[in-house]
C-alpha cells in the first residue's frame, strides 16, 4: 500500500501526544506481567543448569528428586520431542539438553513442586554425570582448524571446505574494483576491532504459566515478543498441534529482541503434562544472563582508503561473529549494514559465523549492525583525524542518497541520511566548545526495517466506539499508536478506540514484534481494516439514501453525499450508522491480513561529548544528541523514547556491558552488579531531533524507528573517547581498566 | 528475461556469476527458475531469501510482479530484534 | 519448615500473614498477599524494581525478610493513588510518557515519591543519584527525570 496521494495530509490524531491506554494499570501496579498471575493448584517449576561450558551427559539420576515430598514431576531432554526442522530442534535442545551441554547455564532437567522452596531443593537432588569436553568461548579461537568442535555438521554449503566445523556461515557482499579503489587513496587505514557480547537486559525476567492436558490441549500465559512464535516452538517441542495450544501474551517488561525465542514455556508444558497441574516458571536474573539471549561477540578487520579531500575510494570489511553454541545468520545482517551509509564505488564485506560454548544468540535491536558499523565508523573517524578533515563534512560528502547503489546491492529510494547529517551539522551541539580531556564523536547508523505477517480486525461497536484486535505484544506504547491510526482513518476521537492484543486462538497469525515492524505493519493493516469498515458503512448509507455506493464519501467521521446525483442528505455519523447496523445488514467490521513489505530503511546520526578521567580511566558522557528520520512520528513521545532508550543501551555496550568468561568457560558476571547497565547518574539528558522524510511504502509515511537508535552509539562514544584520550580505541567495552591501559600504554 | 544480482557468497554456487538472467514475471517464478538453473542455490532459497525490487525489500511475496525494467537483487532473509 | 505469624500495616491497613523465616518481603507481598505491583528484576538488590517503603525508608523488598515487617508500616505502589485520584507523580509519568514497558515504573515511582517527601526541590543531579538504584532499560531515564521534576514543581505549588 503506497503513501497516500494527498500531497500534505492534515493529521488530526497522528502526531499528537495522547495518553496511552494501558497507562493507569502500569502506574498503579495493576498491570499483569509474566510473573504476576497464578492459578488454583499451581505448581512451581525450576530448572537445573549445566555448570560446565561443554560436556557430554553420561547419565541423569532423578530418583532422589522424585522421591522428595511435594515434587510432582521431573523432566529431562528426552521428555521433549525431536523436531525435524533444524530451527525448532535447536530451540527444543536449548530448552533441555539431550546428549551434550553446550554452555555454562544450558538447561538439563526441571522439576515441578508444590512450593518454590521444594522445587529449589529438588533440583539439587538431581545427579548428572558429566564427561567434560574441551571448550572454546572466543570467536577467533573457535575459527582455528584445531579448535574444540561445539557441534558437528552444521556448516552451510557456502562455507569453504577445510575450515573448523565451528564455522557455520560465510557471506560476502559488495561491488566494484577494490584494488583500483585503494590505489586512488591518499591515505589507507586498516584496523582490527573486538566487541564483547552484551545482553538485552530487559528488567523483567522470562516468566510463564502453562498447563497441558493428556489430550494435548494447553494454555500458556507468558511474556513474549510473539505469542504465535511461542505456539510454534511449543507445538514442535511437545509434539502437539498448534490449534490445541492457546498462548496469551502478558504485559511485557522489555524485550529488545530478547523475547523473540522460547526458553521455559516448553519445559513448563512438559512438567504440566506429567503433573496434571498448571506450572509456573520464573527465571532468576542469573538464569536470564546465563541462558537467554546475549548478542554476538565479534572480531572485525576494516580497511578504508580516502583521498586527502575526504572522498572514500574503497572499503573492505571482514566480520567474524559468534552467536554462541548454535548456527545463526546475524553476520549476514551485519555484513550488509556495515557500509550502508556510504556511496561507494568499490566495497566488499565478508562475514563469518563461528559457534562457541556460549548461550544461543538471540536478536538484540538491529541484530548484527551495531558492531559492524562501530568498526567502520571508527576507521572513518580516524581517517578524518589523520587528514585533518571535519567528520561531518566527510560523511556528507560520501553519504548514500537516492540513487546510490547501496553496499548490500539495491539502489536506495528516498532516504533521510543527508537531511539527518545536515540537521546534526546545524545543531548547536556540533559547535559547542570542549574543554581539556573532552572529545566529540559522531556516528551514522542504519537499519533495514521490515513489515511481515499481520492480521488486524476492527469492530464498529453499536455505541459508535471502535475495538481493534491485533496480535503483537505492546512493548513501548504500540496500542496507543494503533488506536491513533484507527481514529485518524475513521475520523473519530482517539478515546473512542480501544486496541487489545489477541491470544493465538482469537486472531490469525502474526509475526513477532521485531525489526521495528509494529507501528509500520500493524499500523498499515489497521488503516486497511478501517478502510474496509468505512467502505461497508458507506454501502449501508447508500442503501438508506437509495443512491449509488460511489455517491457516498467518508469525511470527518461521517458518511456524506457527494457528486451530481447524490441529493442533499444530511451527513450520517459513525455512531448513527453503528446504532442501526442490525437493521441495515448486521454488525459492521473491517479486517485486513497481509505480509507487509516496503518498510523503508532508516538512518540516524548521533553526537556524543565525553570526558575521560586520566587517573581512573572512567568516562563521563557530557552531552548526547540523537537525530533520526522517523518517516512520520505517529506518537512523538514514544518515538523519542525509542531514540533515547536505544542510545543508552548503545552507551552501555560502548562503556561497560560485557560477557566475561573465565578460563573454565564459565560466565563470571551473571548479575546486574557485575554486568553493569547504565543507571540514571551515568547519563546526561538525551536530546532528540526527529526528522520526517515520509516512507513511500506506508499510507501515512511511517518508518520503523526502534532498531536504528542502538546502532550509532558504539562508534559515537568510541570516537569521542578516542579523541578525548588521544588514543584510538578498538575494543568494546571501553571499561575503565581497558581505557586506562590504552592511555598509559 | 530479468536480471538478478546474487550476493558474493552465492556466486560460487552459480558458475561464479554476479548477475544472472532467468525467465520470470514474478518472484515465485524467479526463485523456481534460479533453483532449476543453479541447483547449488536450492538450499539457500529453501532457507529463505529476501528480494529487493527497485530498492524496496520484500521478505517473501511470491506474486510480486517483476520485469526486465526492474532492478532485482537477491538478499538473505532478514531478521530483526 | 515452620511458618511464622507476622502482623503488619500495609498501605494503611492492618495485615496478617504467615511466612517462612527465609522468605523475602517481596515474595510475601507477591505470593501471599497478591500485591504484585513490586517486581522482581534481580532478587539481589541491584535493580530497584521491588522498591517499597518500610517505616518511611525506601528498601529493596527482595533484600528484606517477610518477618522484618512485624509491627512495621509498609507502603507499596498499590497504595500510592487515592482511590480514583492518581498521585501527581503517577499522572505526570503518564502525561509525559516516562514509561515504555512499565516494569520499572512501580519501583521508580515509590523511590521518587520518597525523595520528594524529603527534598521537594531536588537538582537533576540529586535526582539522578537518588534513582541510580532503579534500573530502567527502556527509556534512557531522560523522560523519567523530566517527569519527576514536573511533578515536584506541581507539588511545590500545590
Ligand atoms: S528485585 Fe530487588 S533490587 Fe532487583
Ligand atoms: S520502562 Fe521498561 S524498564 Fe523502564
Amino acid at each position: 500500500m503506497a503513501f497516500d496521494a494527498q500531497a500534505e495530509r492534515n493529521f488530526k490524531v497522528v502526531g499528537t501526544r495522547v495518553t496511552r491506554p494501558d497507562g493507569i494499570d502500569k502506574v498503579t501496579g495493576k498491570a499483569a506481567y509474566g510473573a504476576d498471575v497464578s492459578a488454583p493448584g499451581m505448581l512451581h517449576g525450576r530448572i537445573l543448569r549445566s555448570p560446565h561450558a561443554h560436556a557430554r551427559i553420561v547419565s541423569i539420576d532423578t530418583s532422589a528428586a522424585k522421591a522428595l515430598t511435594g515434587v510432582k514431576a521431573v523432566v529431562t531432554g528426552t521428555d521433549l520431542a525431536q523436531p525435524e526442522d533444524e530451527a525448532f530442534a535447536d530451540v527444543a535442545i536449548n530448552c533441555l539438553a539431550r546428549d551434550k551441554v553446550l554452555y555454562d547455564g544450558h538447561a538439563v532437567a526441571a522439576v515441578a513442586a508444590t512450593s518454590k522452596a521444594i522445587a529449589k531443593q529438588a533440583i539439587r537432588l538431581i545427579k548428572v554425570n558429566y564427561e567434560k569436553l574441551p571448550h572454546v568461548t572466543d570467536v577467533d579461537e573457535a575459527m582455528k582448524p584445531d579448535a574444540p568442535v561445539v557441534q558437528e555438521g552444521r556448516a552451510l554449503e557456502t562455507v569453504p571446505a577445510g575450515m573448523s566445523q565451528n564455522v557455520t556461515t560465510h557471506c560476502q557482499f559488495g561491488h566494484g574494483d577494490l584494488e583500483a579503489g585503494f590505489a586512488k587513496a591518499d591515505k589507507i587505514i586498516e584496523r582490527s576491532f573486538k566487541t564483547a557480547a552484551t545482553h538485552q537486559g530487559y528488567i523483567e525476567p522470562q516468566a510463564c504459566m502453562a498447563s497441558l492436558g493428556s489430550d494435548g490441549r494447553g494454555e500458556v500465559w507468558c511474556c513474549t515478543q510473539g505469542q504465535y512464535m511461542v505456539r510454534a516452538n511449543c507445538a514442535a517441542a511437545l509434539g502437539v498441534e498448534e490449534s490445541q495450544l492457546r498462548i496469551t501474551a502478558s504485559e511485557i517488561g522489555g524485550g529488545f529482541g530478547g523475547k523473540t525465542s522460547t526458553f521455559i514455556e516448553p519445559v513448563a508444558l512438559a512438567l504440566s503434562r506429567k503433573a496434571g497441574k498448571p506450572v509456573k516458571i520464573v527465571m532468576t536474573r542469573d538464569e536470564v544472563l546465563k541462558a537467554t539471549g546475549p548478542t554476538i561477540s565479534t572480531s572485525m578487520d576494516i580497511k578504508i582508503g580516502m583521498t586527502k579531500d575526504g572522498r572514500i575510494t574503497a572499503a573492505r570489511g571482514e566480520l567474524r561473529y559468534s552467536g554462541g553454541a548454535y548456527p545463526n545468520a546475524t553476520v549476514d545482517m551485519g555484513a550488509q549494514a556495515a557500509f550502508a551509509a556510504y556511496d561507494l564505488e568499490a566495497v566488499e564485506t565478508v562475514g563469518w559465523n563461528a559457534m562457541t560454548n556460549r548461550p544461543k544468540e538471540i536478536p538484540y535491536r538491529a541484530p548484527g549492525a551495531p558492531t559492524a558499523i562501530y568498526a567502520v565508523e571508527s576507521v572513518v573517524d580516524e581517517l578524518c583525524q589523520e587528514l585533518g578533515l571535519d567528520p561531518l563534512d566527510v560523511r556528507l560528502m560520501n553519504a548514500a542518497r537516492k540513487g546510490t547503489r547501496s553496499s548490500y546491492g539495491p539502489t536506495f529510494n528516498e532516504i533521510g541520511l543527508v537531511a539527518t547529517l545536515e540537521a546534526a551539522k546545524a545543531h548547536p551541539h556540533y559547535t559547542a566548545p570542549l574543554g581539556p580531556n573532552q572529545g566529540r564523536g559522531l556516528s551514522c547508523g542504519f537499519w533495514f526495517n521490515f513489515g511481515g505477517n499481520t492480521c488486524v480486525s476492527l469492530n464498529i461497536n453499536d455505541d459508535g466506539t471502535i475495538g481493534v484486535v491485533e496480535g503483537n505484544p505492546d512493548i513501548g506504547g504500540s496500542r496507543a499508536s494503533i488506536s491513533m491510526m484507527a481514529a485518524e482513518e475513521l475520523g473519530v476521537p482517539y478515546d473512542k478506540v480501544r486496541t487489545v492484543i489477541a491470544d493465538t486462538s482469537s486472531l490469525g497469525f502474526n509475526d513477532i514484534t521485531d525489526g521495528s515492524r509494529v507501528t509500520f505493519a500493524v499500523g498499515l493493516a489497521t488503516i486497511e481494516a478501517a478502510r474496509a469498515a468505512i467502505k461497508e458503512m458507506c454501502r449501508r448509507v447508500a442503501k438508506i439514501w437509495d443512491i449509488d455506493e460511489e455517491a457516498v464519501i467518508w469525511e470527518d467521521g461521517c458518511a456524506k453525499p457527494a457528486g451530481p446525483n447524490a441529493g442533499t442528505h444530511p451527513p450520517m455519523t459513525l455512531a448513527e450508522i453503528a446504532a442501526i447496523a442490525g437493521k441495515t445488514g448486521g454488525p459492521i467490521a473491517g479486517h485486513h491480513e497481509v505480509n507487509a513489505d516496503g518498510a523503508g530503511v532508516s538512518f540516524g546520526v548521533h553526537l556524543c561529548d565525553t570526558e575521560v578521567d586520566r587517573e581512573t580511566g572512567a568516562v563521563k558522557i557530557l552531552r548526547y544528541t540523537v537525530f533520526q528520520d522517523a518517516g512520520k512520528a505517529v506518537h512523538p513521545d514514544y518515538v523519542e523514547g525509542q531514540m533515547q532508550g536505544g542510545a543508552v543501551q548503545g552507551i552501555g555496550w560502548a562503556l561497560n556491558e560485557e560477557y566475561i568468561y573465565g578460563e573454565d568457560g564459565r560466565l563470571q558476571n551473571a548479575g546486574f552488579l557485575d554486568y553493569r547497565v547504565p543507571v540514571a547518574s551515568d547519563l546526561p539528558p538525551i536530546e532528540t531531533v526527529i526528522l520526517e522524510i515520509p516512507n513511500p511504502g506506508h499510507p501515512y509515511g511511517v518508518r520503523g524507528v526502534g532498531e536504528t537508535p542502538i546502532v550509532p552509539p558504539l562508534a559515537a562514544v568510541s570516537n569521542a573517547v578516542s579523541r578525548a584520550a588521544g588514543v584510538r580505541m578498538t575494543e568494546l567495552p571501553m571499561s575503565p581498566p581497558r581505557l586506562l591501559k590504552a592511555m598509559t600504554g | 528475461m530479468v536480471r538478478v544480482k546474487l550476493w558474493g557468497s552465492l556466486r560460487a554456487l552459480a558458475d561464479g556469476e554476479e548477475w544472472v538472467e532467468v525467465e520470470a514475471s514474478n518472484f515465485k517464478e524467479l526463485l523456481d527458475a534460479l533453483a532449476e538453473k543453479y541447483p547449488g542455490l536450492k538450499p539457500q532459497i529453501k532457507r529463505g531469501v529476501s528480494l529487493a525490487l527497485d530498492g524496496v525489500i520484500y521478505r517473501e511475496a511470491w506474486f510480486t510482479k517483476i520485469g526486465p525494467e526492474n532492478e532485482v537483487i537477491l538478499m538473505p532473509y532478514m531478521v530483526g530484534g | 519448615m515452620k511458618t511464622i505469624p507476622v502482623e503488619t500495616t500495609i498501605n494503611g491497613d492492618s495485615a496478617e500473614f504467615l511466612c517462612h523465616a527465609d522468605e523475602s518481603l517481596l515474595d510475601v507481598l507477591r505470593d501471599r498477599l497478591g500485591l504484585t505491583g513490586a517486581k522482581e528484576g534481580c532478587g539481589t538488590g541491584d535493580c530497584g524494581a521491588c522498591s517499597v517503603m518500610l517505616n518511611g525508608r525506601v528498601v529493596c523488598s527482595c533484600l528484606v525478610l517477610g518477618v522484618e515487617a512485624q509491627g512495621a508500616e509498609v507502603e507499596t505502589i498499590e497504595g500510592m493513588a487515592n482511590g480514583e485520584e492518581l498521585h501527581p507523580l503517577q499522572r505526570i509519568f503518564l502525561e509525559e510518557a516516562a514509561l515504555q514497558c512499565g516494569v520499572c515504573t512501580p519501583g521508580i515511582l515509590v523511590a521518587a515519591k520518597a525523595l520528594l517527601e524529603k527534598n521537594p526541590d531536588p537538582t537533576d543531579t540529586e535526582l539522578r543519584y537518588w534513582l541510580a538504584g532503579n534500573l530502567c532499560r527502556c527509556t534512557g531515564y531522560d523522560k523519567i527525570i523530566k517527569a519527576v521534576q514536573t511533578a515536584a514543581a506541581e507539588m511545590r505549588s500545590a
Side-chain angles (χ1 to χ4, degrees):
Chain A
M1 184 165 50
F3 188 54
D4 277 357
Q6 61 250 58
E8 260 308 293
R9 179 169 181 144
N10 277 324
F11 290 108
K12 294 205 171 74
V13 184
V14 163
T16 62
R17 300 175 188 248
V18 298
T19 308
R20 59 198 276 172
D22 52 329
I24 299 224
D25 284 357
K26 287 189 174 159
V27 296
T28 55
K30 269 189 287 190
Y33 292 83
D36 293 343
V37 300
S38 39
M42 176 183 91
L43 304 173
H44 298 271
R46 194 155 175 119
I47 294 172
L48 176 70
R49 297 184 179 275
S50 163
H52 304 300
H54 195 193
R56 191 166 306 289
I57 300 174
V58 180
S59 63
I60 306 180
D61 178 1
T62 60
S63 54
K66 275 185 190 146
L68 186 70
T69 310
V71 171
K72 301 295 176 190
V74 182
V75 294
T76 63
T78 52
D79 289 293
L80 294 183
Q82 279 181 295
E84 256 173 56
D85 178 274
E86 274 198 353
F88 285 136
D90 282 351
V91 169
I93 288 277
N94 197 43
C95 282
L96 281 173
R98 267 175 178 255
D99 311 319
K100 285 210 301 185
V101 288
L102 300 174
Y103 56 91
D104 169 27
H106 197 166
V108 287
V111 302
T114 50
S115 77
K116 285 188 199 170
I118 296 172
K120 203 167 167 180
Q121 198 186 344
I123 57 165
R124 287 198 212 111
L125 297 174
I126 297 174
K127 286 186 211 77
V128 187
N129 187 358
Y130 294 103
E131 174 198 327
K132 281 220 269 175
L133 299 168
H135 64 268
V136 60
T137 54
D138 176 81
V139 60
D140 290 320
E141 293 298 319
M143 286 185 68
K144 292 184 179 157
D146 56 350
V149 174
V150 179
Q151 289 195 57
E152 285 170 11
R154 299 302 305 266
L156 297 181
E157 72 287 350
T158 45
V159 176
M163 301 191 78
S164 158
Q165 290 208 61
N166 292 326
V167 180
T168 58
T169 304
H170 162 59
C171 63
Q172 185 201 351
F173 302 89
H175 57 254
D177 184 342
L178 283 180
E179 219 173 300
F182 282 120
K184 279 190 266 177
D186 295 313
K187 176 100 198 158
I188 296 173
I189 290 183
E190 191 169 5
R191 285 247 182 222
S192 298
F193 298 86
K194 277 212 144 190
T195 66
T198 58
H199 194 275
Q200 294 82 350
Y202 37 82
I203 305 301
E204 180 203 27
Q206 269 85 351
C208 71
M209 190 171 68
S211 129
L212 181 61
S214 50
D215 57 0
R217 247 177 234 154
E219 305 263 343
V220 179
W221 160 275
C222 60
C223 56
T224 177
Q225 287 178 247
Q227 59 273 48
Y228 300 88
M229 168 277 298
V230 173
R231 181 176 70 177
N233 281 339
C234 288
L238 275 299
V240 300
E241 288 175 352
E242 290 197 8
S243 64
Q244 300 307 313
L245 292 179
R246 181 164 75 139
I247 320 290
T248 306
S250 68
E251 293 299 330
I252 174 172
F256 319 111
K259 290 175 183 164
T260 58
S261 189
T262 28
F263 303 96
I264 51 174
E265 294 84 354
V267 180
L269 283 167
L271 286 167
S272 171
R273 180 162 60 185
K274 274 201 172 171
K277 297 232 164 72
V279 174
K280 178 169 169 177
I281 299 183
V282 180
M283 287 181 111
T284 62
R285 178 58 50 183
D286 171 88
E287 288 182 286
V288 167
L289 286 164
K290 275 190 173 158
T292 71
T295 180
I296 35 126
S297 54
T298 77
S299 161
M300 303 171 286
D301 311 318
I302 303 289
K303 177 179 174 186
I304 300 178
M306 199 179 263
T307 63
K308 54 184 183 315
D309 52 0
R311 188 74 178 109
I312 299 175
T313 59
R316 187 176 188 282
E318 179 127 1
L319 315 177
R320 294 170 296 275
Y321 283 14
S322 177
Y326 301 83
N328 75 90
T330 302
V331 76
D332 286 355
M333 306 300 285
Q336 291 179 91
F339 293 101
Y342 295 100
D343 176 18
L344 301 170
E345 249 174 57
V347 55
E348 181 185 58
T349 335
V350 176
W352 306 93
N353 179 69
M355 293 182 292
T356 49
N357 295 110
R358 290 169 174 249
K360 186 179 195 304
E361 183 250 4
I362 303 295
Y364 180 19
R365 266 189 155 144
T371 45
I373 289 177
Y374 151 70
V376 169
E377 291 290 275
S378 295
V379 173
V380 171
D381 191 64
E382 192 176 358
L383 280 162
C384 294
Q385 244 182 331
E386 295 273 317
L387 295 167
L389 299 167
D390 178 89
L392 239 172
D393 288 340
V394 166
R395 263 110 176 160
L396 271 167
M397 183 190 300
N398 294 286
R401 56 197 82 211
K402 184 175 179 175
T404 295
R405 181 183 189 191
S406 67
S407 57
Y408 57 93
T411 305
F412 282 126
N413 292 323
E414 303 293 343
I415 55 171
L417 177 59
V418 169
T420 313
L421 284 163
E422 274 165 358
K425 196 174 172 186
H427 195 276
H429 183 167
Y430 194 59
T431 45
L434 289 167
N437 297 319
Q438 298 183 351
R440 176 163 301 140
L442 102 95
S443 170
C444 299
F446 162 84
W447 183 247
F448 304 90
N449 296 327
F450 36 78
N453 292 293
T454 309
C455 289
V456 166
S457 149
L458 180 150
N459 298 306
I460 310 283
N461 302 324
D462 57 6
D463 63 351
T465 59
I466 314 298
V468 179
V469 185
E470 53 122 331
N472 280 94
D474 177 355
I475 301 195
S478 63
R479 272 168 294 196
S481 312
I482 301 306
S483 295
M484 291 169 85
M485 286 189 259
E488 185 74 51
E489 198 59 35
L490 291 164
V492 301
Y494 164 75
D495 58 13
K496 295 271 182 254
V497 186
R498 176 158 187 199
T499 299
V500 300
I501 291 149
D503 64 60
T504 54
S505 301
S506 309
L507 188 70
F509 179 81
N510 283 270
D511 278 331
I512 46 179
T513 298
D514 79 338
S516 293
R517 69 175 221 93
V518 174
T519 312
F520 170 76
V522 182
L524 190 146
T526 303
I527 293 167
E528 282 294 289
R531 288 179 180 174
I534 288 172
K535 194 151 189 273
E536 179 60 17
M537 289 190 284
C538 289
R539 203 178 65 82
R540 302 279 177 97
V541 171
K543 276 193 172 167
I544 296 172
W545 291 341
D546 199 17
I547 59 176
D548 278 353
E549 250 177 87
E550 289 69 45
V552 181
I553 56 157
W554 192 262
E555 226 176 64
D556 297 330
C558 297
K560 293 178 182 169
N565 304 319
T568 53
H569 306 278
M572 277 187 83
T573 64
L574 183 144
E576 287 165 353
I577 301 165
I580 53 167
K583 298 186 174 67
T584 61
I588 301 172
H591 61 98
H592 193 70
E593 294 79 30
V594 65
N595 186 359
D597 283 306
V601 301
S602 141
F603 286 93
V605 174
H606 291 200
L607 287 180
C608 172
D609 294 356
T610 60
E611 182 172 300
V612 301
D613 183 327
R614 297 204 167 264
E615 265 159 38
T616 62
V619 173
K620 180 125 194 79
I621 307 282
L622 302 170
R623 185 168 183 184
Y624 203 99
T625 312
V626 179
F627 304 83
Q628 193 175 317
D629 169 20
K632 172 77 203 166
V634 175
H635 193 310
D637 275 341
Y638 292 106
V639 171
E640 288 162 10
Q642 290 290 324
M643 289 159 71
Q644 293 167 331
V648 168
Q649 287 181 325
I651 291 170
W653 201 333
L655 290 180
N656 278 305
E657 295 180 37
E658 123 176 73
Y659 267 50
I660 303 169
Y661 281 91
E663 284 292 307
D664 56 0
R666 299 187 63 184
L667 183 62
Q668 298 190 325
N669 58 334
F672 274 144
L673 188 60
D674 302 313
Y675 182 89
R676 196 176 177 292
V677 308
V679 304
S681 54
D682 294 339
L683 297 160
I686 308 292
E687 297 173 61
T688 55
V689 178
I690 302 176
L691 287 93
E692 296 191 321
I693 292 118
N695 169 21
H698 186 280
Y700 295 171
V702 169
R703 292 175 200 270
V705 292
E707 319 253 324
T708 305
I710 202 174
V711 181
L714 281 60
V717 176
S718 181
N719 291 340
V721 169
S722 298
R723 283 171 183 257
V727 47
R728 184 52 54 177
M729 297 302 291
T730 56
E731 192 171 349
L732 298 185
M734 296 174 290
S735 50
R738 215 170 257 150
L739 179 58
L740 197 59
K741 195 163 158 230
M743 285 192 296
T744 51
Chain B
M1 286 297 230
V2 283
R3 259 158 57 84
V4 194
K5 187 183 187 232
L6 304 180
W7 74 87
S9 32
L10 289 191
R11 288 174 205 155
L13 308 168
D15 308 338
E17 296 293 331
E18 174 175 3
W19 289 92
V20 298
E21 284 201 18
V22 287
E23 200 66 64
S25 67
N26 66 27
F27 282 167
K28 165 116 177 51
E29 290 172 19
L30 175 93
L31 295 180
D32 289 348
L34 280 177
E36 176 159 341
K37 196 160 170 190
Y38 305 105
L41 295 178
K42 267 189 202 162
Q44 178 67 47
I45 290 174
K46 188 161 169 263
R47 277 197 301 277
V49 286
S50 307
L51 285 148
L53 172 65
D54 295 336
V56 179
I57 301 169
Y58 293 79
R59 284 209 290 190
E60 276 152 325
W62 274 359
F63 307 118
T64 307
K65 292 260 166 285
I66 48 175
E69 70 286 2
N70 295 126
E71 178 194 79
V72 181
I73 317 272
L74 206 63
M75 293 170 66
Y77 190 79
M78 307 253 123
V79 290
Chain C
M1 206 193 300
K2 272 238 185 75
T3 53
I4 303 162
V6 177
E7 281 178 42
T8 185
T9 306
I10 298 181
N11 298 326
D13 298 326
S14 59
E16 291 173 25
F17 57 83
L18 297 172
C19 74
H20 294 294
D22 62 352
E23 215 170 313
S24 72
L25 176 59
L26 178 63
D27 279 350
V28 168
L29 290 170
R30 293 180 52 85
D31 299 343
R32 296 192 183 265
L33 302 173
L35 294 171
T36 55
K39 308 296 176 197
E40 178 165 326
C42 66
T44 50
D46 299 312
C47 78
C50 62
S51 301
V52 302
M53 300 296 285
L54 183 71
N55 292 330
R57 278 185 52 220
V58 193
V59 295
C60 293
S61 61
C62 69
L63 296 184
V64 174
L65 291 173
V67 293
E68 292 180 75
Q70 171 65 40
E73 304 249 346
V74 179
E75 286 167 66
T76 71
I77 184 68
E78 285 89 349
M80 192 179 281
N82 182 8
E84 269 192 297
E85 192 194 333
L86 297 179
H87 186 277
L89 276 164
Q90 292 174 306
R91 179 168 44 74
I92 288 161
F93 262 55
L94 278 184
E95 286 167 6
E96 299 195 357
L99 54 145
Q100 283 176 34
C101 80
V103 81
C104 66
T105 310
I108 288 184
L109 287 170
V110 166
K113 179 168 173 266
L115 173 66
L116 297 187
E117 275 160 13
K118 290 204 315 192
N119 177 0
D121 192 8
T123 63
D124 276 4
T125 308
E126 285 170 337
L127 183 48
R128 283 182 180 273
Y129 276 93
W130 179 266
L131 291 180
N134 290 83
L135 300 182
C136 173
R137 190 59 158 172
C138 299
T139 64
Y141 306 101
D142 190 273
K143 288 184 191 295
I144 292 175
I145 301 300
K146 292 201 173 100
V148 176
Q149 292 292 25
T150 310
E154 186 185 302
M155 287 161 70
R156 284 196 302 274
S157 64

